[in-house]
Each structure stands twice: as structure tokens, then as C-alpha cells.
Amino acid sequence: LYPLCKGDIMVDPVTIAAGASAVSGMMGYKGNRASAKSARQVGEYNAQVAENEAVLLQRATRDQERNLRINSERLAANQRVMTAASGVQMTGSPLNALATTFFGTEEDAALIRSAGNIAELNKLSEAALTRVQAGASAATFRYKSYGSLLSGASGMAEATTLK
């Protein structure tokens, strides 16, 4: 009991318990509020990463389509040169081969754009979902912080009623 004494006055253990309960509730409140803020910040960071990845996917899709068109132009130029070298005019079968190259390129380009759009949309959806999950997590921590305050107040009230 000596540590509880101060001079000739003894500190009431119930008061200590009530104070400890109040401090515990306040610490829980502060900790959960910090966790809520952290959850929001982490969620926002992850959402921004997903949005940046969507931009990179958009660029990659554009580059892939550009490369397809460059290669297609080379193929068509090669077909024209080969046709000219053979002495045949660009009508009939040689023209059909060139048209097939052109339409095949357009079809492939449309597929590349479509796949790129889907991948980009997936990343943007991931970003939105991450923000929603972060908000829900932050709300959970906020409610826990209120619970800590109430628990601390309850413990303090309970300790003071023991007097």
C-alpha cells in the first residue's frame, strides 16, 4: 500500500481504477481514430496506383495499335513492291490481297482497342472499389473509437459507483 500513499494521504484505489478506465477509453479512441485516418490514406493511395495503372494500360494499348499499323503498312508496301516487280497490275487477286491485309489490320486494331478498354475499365473499377473498401474500413475504426470512449466512460462510472 505504500506506493498508493502520498505523505499521510492515501490515494483511493477506486479513483485510480476510474482514472485508468477513462485514460484507457481515451487511448482506444485516439488509436482507432488514427487507424481510421490510416485506412483512408492507404485506400486512397491504392486507388491512385490503380488509376495510374489504367493510364499506363491506355498508353500500352495505343502503342500496340500503332505498332500493328506500322507493321501492316510495311506488309502492304511489301505486297505492292512484289506485285510491281512481277509486272502484274494492282487489280484482281493482288488488290484482294491488299484489301485483306487492310481489313485484317482494322479488325486486329479493334480487338486491341477493345481489350485495352476492358483492362483500363477493370483498373478504374478496382480504384473505385478500393476507395469504397477504405471508407468502410475507416467507418469501422471510427465506430470502434466511439465504443472505446463509451467503454472507458462505463468503466469509470462503474468504478465510481463502487465507493
Side-chain angles (χ1 to χ4, degrees):
L1 289 177
Y2 180 73
L4 296 177
C5 297
K6 184 177 180 182
D8 291 337
I9 302 170
M10 185 165 173
V11 178
D12 183 17
V14 174
T15 305
I16 292 173
S21 183
V23 169
S24 171
M26 188 55 99
M27 288 176 64
Y29 172 79
K30 295 292 278 178
N32 283 317
R33 294 296 283 191
S35 295
K37 182 179 178 183
S38 175
R40 255 191 329 274
Q41 289 173 337
V42 167
E44 183 58 32
Y45 172 79
N46 288 337
Q48 286 177 352
V49 167
E51 288 172 345
N52 290 342
E53 288 174 356
V55 169
L56 293 175
L57 285 168
Q58 188 180 44
R59 290 176 186 165
T61 299
R62 185 185 61 229
D63 292 345
Q64 189 177 6
E65 183 179 353
R66 187 188 72 229
N67 289 339
L68 171 72
R69 291 187 184 284
I70 289 170
N71 289 335
S72 177
E73 285 296 322
R74 286 181 185 152
L75 175 62
N78 196 14
Q79 287 174 332
R80 282 192 287 274
V81 167
M82 296 302 279
T83 301
S86 69
V88 177
Q89 289 189 349
M90 193 56 93
T91 59
S93 293
L95 187 59
N96 287 340
L98 201 56
T100 301
T101 299
F102 173 78
F103 291 123
T105 299
E106 290 305 312
E107 185 179 337
D108 290 346
L111 290 173
I112 288 170
R113 277 192 307 273
S114 176
N117 289 342
I118 290 170
E120 182 183 353
L121 204 69
N122 284 340
K123 281 298 175 182
L124 293 175
S125 296
E126 179 184 326
L129 180 61
T130 299
R131 283 191 175 99
V132 168
Q133 288 173 334
S137 181
T140 300
F141 282 118
R142 275 195 309 276
Y143 289 128
K144 282 184 180 181
S145 72
Y146 303 143
S148 294
L149 274 180
L150 291 174
S151 176
S154 172
M156 188 173 135
E158 190 176 306
T160 56
T161 57
L162 293 177
K163 278 188 171 183

